[in-house]
Amino acid sequence: MADKEIRLTRVLFVCLGNICRSPMAEGIFRQMVHQSGLDARIETDSCGVGDYHVGEPPDPRAMREAQQRDVDITELRGRVVRRDDFDRFDYILCMDGDNLEALQKMAPDSGQAHVGLLMDFASEDTGTEIGDPYFGNTDNFGRVADQITAGCQGLIERLKRGEASD
Ligand code: 4NP
């Protein structure tokens, strides 16, 4: 029997610096993808709308919070969003309204991606935006990770029901 063509769904998580929220989202979502047996079907990446931390590893507080959830994000490195991301990715999901405004400004007319807020996918009422934890204390990272988990849970359920199914 011929192999069935696998349709790859590409998801890009976006925040401001790509060292706190979006790398946590990338790691947490990738773990869910793996646990759902969908590694071959869903590709995950993250980036920032700002270029302050290009090439840097995630913030130590983000790495620690992820590690507490058995998610290793130590190998991730910051990068900035590119115009071709809007053609390469199916979902470009950001953390707050400022990120969204920046993305909408740079989105080319030809872009095929769904550009929106990650929290729009959350089924629980855990807020519409994921606030920047960078200037806050370590506790903020736990709250951010909980919100990200809720958003990613909704996203993976949606993909399992639709785009990522046979
Ligand atoms: P992130 O957090 O957008 O969640 O990665 C930030 C990291 C760094 C800065 C701001 C937000 N910064 O201004 O350097």
Side-chain angles (χ1 to χ4, degrees), residues 14-23 48 52-53 59 95-96 99 131-135 141 144:
V14 184
C15 62
L16 176 57
N18 193 209
I19 56 166
C20 299
R21 293 165 291 177
S22 60
Y52 323 106
H53 299 284
D59 185 287
M95 305 296 145
D96 63 37
N99 305 155
D132 183 351
Y134 185 65
F135 296 106
F141 283 79
V144 161

Side-chain angles (χ1 to χ4, degrees), residues 21-42:
R21 293 165 291 177
S22 60
M24 283 201 282
E26 179 179 351
I28 287 169
F29 186 65
R30 189 171 286 155
Q31 185 193 53
M32 288 179 187
V33 167
H34 182 66
Q35 288 170 347
S36 303
L38 293 172
D39 291 317
R41 293 176 177 228
I42 302 176

Side-chain angles (χ1 to χ4, degrees), residues 3-4 9 29 40 42 66 101 107 114 117 119 124 153 157 165:
D3 282 346
K4 214 177 212 176
T9 299
F29 186 65
I42 302 176
E101 206 179 309
H114 165 97
L117 291 167
M119 290 310 285
E124 318 158 31
Q153 197 63 52
E157 280 160 18
S165 61

Side-chain angles (χ1 to χ4, degrees), residues 97-113:
D98 289 343
N99 305 155
L100 187 57
E101 206 179 309
L103 288 171
Q104 284 168 341
K105 269 189 191 146
M106 75 179 287
D109 291 341
S110 64
Q112 298 296 308

